[in-house]
Amino acid sequence: MSSVGDTLDGAIVPGKVPAHVAIIMDGNGRWAQQRGLPRQQGHWEGVKSVRRITEAACRIGVRYLTLYAFSTENWGRPKEEVSALMSLLVSCLHDEMPLFMDNGIRLRVIGQPDVFLPEVRTALDAALEQTAGNSRMDLVLALSYSSRWELTEAMRSAARDAKAGSLDPEHIDASVVNRYLATSFMPDPDLLIRTSGEYRISNFLLWQIAYSELFFTPVLWPDFTEEMFYAAIADYQKRDRRFGKVSGSNQSK
């Protein structure tokens, strides 16, 4: 891989790269429909963007990249489309393994992979095991995931522990809640990107993005390029992240 400076012409400050970027990859179906193609073709094209952005994120030093790949609501799509998405997932896990291994990318999953068919689960387990030793970047796939599912499961787990006496309800704070979430192994997203021109979060990482910077683009996911990703990062680096406090430049005023 080329260096950050060679790739970005100094547009991105290496020391200010967000540690965690989350992306709602939206627009595959519309991309296909606009071209008179089956929706499944849009998903295949979307995989090319996944590859591009994964490489780009790894190149500039993003530590965690979380992709909203399949929501719990997506099960309500036409059966043929869901089947095609599952086949695509299995194919990608196999085809992209050289990318993961060559670049030190560890694959992780948040969501409910147990609900997938055995062949999908087997492919996921194999990819998770094969990349477990990689440490340059974690690529986190949100599969059969939604925030309401995650928070409901967290409440159930906390309630069971409280009933068993291993958790004092009076001592529950934000850090305790974090430990019960599917994302407990990584920090909250610094930047959330959504493609396709929609201005909503769609049940994705609702607890975790409380203070994330948001970046919306009208570009459909299959057309989202490395340069567009870099532009989102550069925009993020210009922002003043206050986390509910006064701006650092105004604290003494």
Side-chain angles (χ1 to χ4, degrees), residues 15-29:
K16 295 180 64 177
V17 173
H20 184 183
V21 178
I23 303 179
I24 300 174
M25 307 179 294
D26 195 20
N28 290 343

Side-chain angles (χ1 to χ4, degrees), residues 98-134:
L99 170 69
F100 301 152
M101 301 310 294
D102 291 345
N103 294 288
I105 297 171
R106 179 177 183 177
L107 186 69
R108 290 181 181 264
V109 173
I110 57 174
Q112 308 170 79
D114 290 341
V115 303
F116 293 141
L117 293 173
E119 56 266 32
V120 179
R121 181 67 205 191
T122 297
L124 270 174
D125 288 344
L128 294 172
E129 181 178 359
Q130 190 169 347
T131 63
N134 295 340

Side-chain angles (χ1 to χ4, degrees), residues 2-3 6 20 33-34 37 39 44 48 53 66-67 72 74 85 88 120 122-123 127 132 166 179 207 209 222 236:
S2 57
S3 69
D6 292 339
H20 184 183
Q33 290 175 333
Q34 288 175 3
L37 300 171
R39 287 177 58 86
W44 279 101
K48 298 177 183 178
I53 302 312
T66 301
L67 304 179
T72 54
N74 287 158
L85 284 168
L88 179 58
V120 179
T122 297
S166 59
R179 293 204 303 268
W207 172 276
I209 63 169
Y236 162 85

